[in-house]
Amino acid sequence: MKDRLILYLLVFLLFSCGQKEEKSVSGSLPNIVFIFTDDLGYGDIGCFGASDIATPNIDRIAAEGIKFTSFLSASPVCSPSRAGLLTGRMPQRMGINSVFFPESLTGMDPEEITIAETLKTKGYRTGIVGKWHLGHMEKYLPLNQGFDEYFGIPYSNDMASVVYMRGNDVEEFKVDQRFTTKTYTEESLKFIDSNGDQPFFLYLAHSMPHVPIYASPEFEGTSNRGLYGDVIQEIDWSVGEVLRKLEEKGILENTLIVFSSDNGPWLVMEDHGGSAGPLREGKQYTFEGGVRVPTVAMWKGKIDAGQVYEDLATQMDWFPTFCKLVGSEIPQDREIDGKDLGPVLFENGNREEDSFIYYMLASQEAYREGDWKIKRPYAGFGGSRGMKKVDAHDTLLFNLKNDPGETTNLAKENPEKTAQMMRAMELSVKQLGPLPESKVSRTLQDNSHYEYLEKKRNEKN
């Protein structure tokens, strides 16, 4: 009898220890703060190598948490990348291949399931501050996509009719963009302050450093990289304000914070367009500079400080990661392309899969498997006001571990590897199955009346 009691006691202690260990990772439901920048380059942050821009608060997240050095966006342009982040799905599965405009009558279908919607099933209060860019018609706006609150500019800040919206209504038609970063920060702090004991999800999506760039007067001239650097330093200040607010409320240790970018820098904008650092090309291209983005995350006491993860991870991974973290079900009625990053964040482990299909708009252009990346032949682009000139190239093969800058084409000297990667790419694309047609983001104006008048005047002359 005594032996049996001892055995029961041992089993109870082991079970209790196991329960406590599990709680150390899950515990009470954490707050989640996701800070998303627009067109921020890999070479624009201190902890990713920038020496002419000071980013102590973003660097703090990396130092006290984890830095991802090979983190890929879902797309090298805005709207598709945001759709991929919020749903965990390749944007091509949703027909979101191009960028939405103020004249767009389409957007991300409300039938898609967003991070906000899945968190709400667990009692989260959800708010977005900043750029939405997934459709500005009411049916596509954040309040119909799982968010309780919305304040911000619904599309890019270089588009016509830049307005501040609150909920589904326009609150301000005249936006002074010098103060946009500061305004977003103030709105974010209000959202955090307004929460009691309810867990919250704050999606702070900065409009900057997408052009046109502006910094508030107190940040102008503060960096060593002109106005662009000033803009980044103000964003870093904003990150610091969020961290301070969480500390002030005593909830920093129960908050997972992620900082990232939607795609690479808009290099055609020159000194207003950021830097890809050691990476090749930038926004609008499927070289690493267009899709590999600076990403850091911290959760004090849960994510070990100072981690560096060098293997592949993607923006689509946050959806299943957050689902698993809070205990909500990952949808089974649709393909979810992201993978749970829990083992990476909390166990110093690895992501489940190491492949990625690169798309620019609806064009499938490249494929990665492990350290290897293959790119299809490209006809080249002569350049325009909005898109950088890039020369034509044949099939390209790179080992990204040895050559993250994609400088040395290994295709000719590795014909077997090139063939294997080409087969793997074709198979992966085939396994996607039929994809929907691209959503119509804008249509051409009918200018035949002007053409008529011009022709009529020419005939008179």
Side-chain angles (χ1 to χ4, degrees), residues 394-397 409-416 418:
D394 293 326
T395 299
L396 301 177
L397 180 71
N409 183 12
L410 302 175
K412 288 185 179 178
E413 60 188 80
N414 292 274
E416 291 184 6
T418 301

Side-chain angles (χ1 to χ4, degrees), residues 346-361:
F346 310 121
E347 303 167 16
N348 295 296
N350 296 305
R351 183 179 182 270
E352 179 185 327
E353 195 176 286
D354 65 353
S355 64
F356 184 81
I357 306 173
Y358 296 73
Y359 276 84
M360 168 53 185
L361 306 181

Side-chain angles (χ1 to χ4, degrees), residues 177-197:
Q177 292 200 50
R178 293 177 302 161
F179 301 102
T180 294
T181 297
K182 182 167 285 188
T183 300
Y184 286 173
T185 305
E186 291 169 353
E187 290 288 335
S188 297
L189 301 183
K190 288 178 189 174
F191 177 81
I192 295 171
D193 265 333
S194 65
N195 279 282
D197 296 329

